[in-house]
Amino acid sequence: MGKLLVKLITFFLVIYVVAALLPAVRITFSYALVTTLLIAGLDWIADRLLLPHLRNVVASATDGLSAFLILWIADLFAPNSAVTFTYLLLVGVIIAGFEFMFHRSLFKIENYDRKGA
């Protein structure tokens, strides 16, 4: 559960802070919260299904692409939001990078636990 909480907090901060840094982007708190929950939920499912069978790079790229698509689709349905391609790309790349490092740390922790140390 702690791992999911780390993802939720990180994704929310990335979505919200990148939006704050780009003047053309306008999102609401609820947009950031709902998209964070959708992205984290989908990534959690994808990590369970894809990560054991694919390399970390592919799984992380898939996570970044899913973030890009979820934010783009959410923008289509959110009347008070305005996102740019640059915003979508930045958030997708940052989330993919975070996921790559997050997966690597999980592998190290899991391997450490399996060795019984």
Side-chain angles (χ1 to χ4, degrees):
M1 187 64 174
K3 298 170 192 172
L4 184 59
L5 187 59
V6 168
K7 276 189 176 196
L8 286 169
I9 291 169
T10 303
F11 290 176
F12 180 80
L13 288 173
V14 168
I15 290 167
Y16 215 67
V17 169
V18 173
L21 294 174
L22 297 174
V25 175
R26 188 180 69 246
I27 64 170
T28 61
F29 180 82
S30 59
Y31 174 90
L33 187 62
V34 169
T35 55
T36 296
L37 293 172
L38 288 171
I39 293 167
L42 183 63
D43 284 355
W44 182 78
I45 292 168
D47 286 348
R48 297 278 183 217
L49 297 175
L50 297 177
L51 191 57
H53 306 291
L54 298 175
R55 295 196 179 275
N56 187 17
V57 174
V58 176
S60 300
T62 303
D63 292 341
L65 180 61
S66 69
F68 179 98
L69 293 173
I70 288 170
L71 289 167
W72 177 57
I73 292 169
D75 181 56
L76 297 175
F77 292 101
N80 296 328
S81 69
V83 298
T84 63
F85 179 77
T86 303
Y87 170 76
L88 296 173
L89 192 61
L90 275 173
V91 171
V93 167
I94 292 169
I95 287 178
F98 166 78
E99 285 288 325
F100 181 78
M101 299 306 288
F102 189 69
H103 294 157
R104 289 183 70 182
S105 71
L106 287 179
F107 290 139
K108 288 180 185 176
I109 291 170
E110 289 173 7
N111 290 338
Y112 181 77
D113 290 342
R114 285 186 196 144
K115 291 178 184 174

